[in-house]
Each structure stands twice: as structure tokens, then as C-alpha cells.
């Protein structure tokens, strides 16, 4: 799986803007390249696993999820792992939201390498 550089930059920017709250989005794309995200609004404190999939346009393929941690901890929590069932790649962007302040995981929470393409 690959991701567009512009998209990862946009996700980091969105995470920064949402700080100190968490940002959550679904990832979508074409031919194995993540190209777009869909921002999913949720109430603060609400369990991520309960997000509304009706917000996803019909026929759109969900490649995974992205969310932010307002702390410098890049690792998925046990609640995070429950949302990792939607799609294959799960990105966590963490404080201070620098260019390399993110990691990608598979649905079991193992770190994976995501190739960044221009
Ligand atoms: Zn998390």
C-alpha cells in the first residue's frame, strides 16, 4: 500500500488544526494508493468504534483509518485496535505533528511501512 505525499501532509495539517482534540478520518484511494480522506466527526470521548459508516459514499473503498494523538505517543490503544477492523492500513499522527510524526499499522496493530509517493 502507498500513500500520496500531499495526503499525508494534509492529514498532519488536519491533526494540528484539531489539537488538542483528536482527529479521525477514513482513508480511500485507487489501485493501492491512498489518495483521499473523509473526515468523520465524532463527539469528544465517544468510542471511535461507533463512527457512522453511513457517511461513507456508496461504492467507496475504505483502505483504512487515520487519527491523531494529542500526545507524543504513536502507539495504538486497545480502543484504537477496535476501529482497525475497517480497512488494512491505520495511520496514527501524533503531537507535535511534524513531517515524520506518524506511523502506520495493520489491522492487528503491527507497524507497517507505507510508501510515500509524489
Ligand atoms: Zn489512538
Amino acid at each position: 500500500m502507498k500513500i500520496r505525499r500531499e495526503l499525508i501532509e494534509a492529514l498532519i495539517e488536519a491533526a494540528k488544526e484539531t489539537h488538542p482534540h483528536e482527529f479521525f478520518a477514513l482513508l480511500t484511494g485507487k489501485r493501492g494508493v491512498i489518495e483521499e480522506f473523509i473526515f468523520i466527526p465524532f463527539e469528544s470521548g465517544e468510542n471511535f468504534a461507533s463512527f457512522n459508516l453511513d457517511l461513507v459514499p456508496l461504492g467507496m473503498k475504505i483502505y483504512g483509518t487515520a487519527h491523531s494523538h494529542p500526545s507524543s505517543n504513536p502507539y495504538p490503544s486497545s480502543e484504537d485496535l477496535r476501529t482497525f477492523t475497517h480497512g488494512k492500513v491505520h495511520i496514527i499522527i501524533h503531537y507535535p505533528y511534524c513531517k515524520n510524526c506518524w506511523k502506520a499499522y495493520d489491522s492487528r496493530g503491527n507497524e507497517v511501512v507505507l510508501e510515500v509517493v509524489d
Side-chain angles (χ1 to χ4, degrees):
M1 193 79 83
K2 297 174 182 177
I3 188 164
R4 291 249 176 253
R5 187 178 309 277
E6 279 169 19
L7 187 73
I8 191 73
E9 285 169 357
L11 285 169
I12 292 167
E13 199 52 41
K16 201 187 283 180
E17 280 170 18
T18 315
H19 187 82
H21 302 288
E22 291 190 29
F23 160 86
F24 187 81
L26 294 172
L27 303 173
T28 176
K30 281 196 287 281
R31 293 183 287 275
V33 184
I34 300 165
E35 293 184 329
E36 273 184 81
F37 69 86
I38 307 161
F39 177 70
I40 301 288
F42 61 90
E43 306 226 342
S44 188
E46 190 185 325
N47 186 335
F48 282 158
S50 66
F51 62 77
N52 190 354
L53 279 176
D54 295 346
L55 294 168
V56 179
L58 219 62
M60 194 165 251
K61 196 164 160 47
I62 301 303
Y63 280 5
T65 65
H67 77 278
S68 65
H69 283 176
S71 69
S72 55
N73 168 22
Y75 303 107
S77 65
S78 52
E79 266 192 18
D80 288 345
L81 290 174
R82 275 188 271 143
T83 71
F84 285 8
T85 51
H86 302 282
K88 282 189 193 162
V89 175
H90 305 281
I91 297 175
I92 293 177
I93 300 149
H94 60 88
Y95 185 81
Y97 315 115
C98 65
K99 213 171 67 163
N100 299 315
C101 293
W102 61 279
K103 283 185 189 296
Y105 300 92
D106 67 15
S107 51
R108 287 201 298 255
N110 300 309
E111 200 175 331
V112 292
V113 175
L114 203 51
E115 191 187 336
V116 179
V117 293
D118 289 310

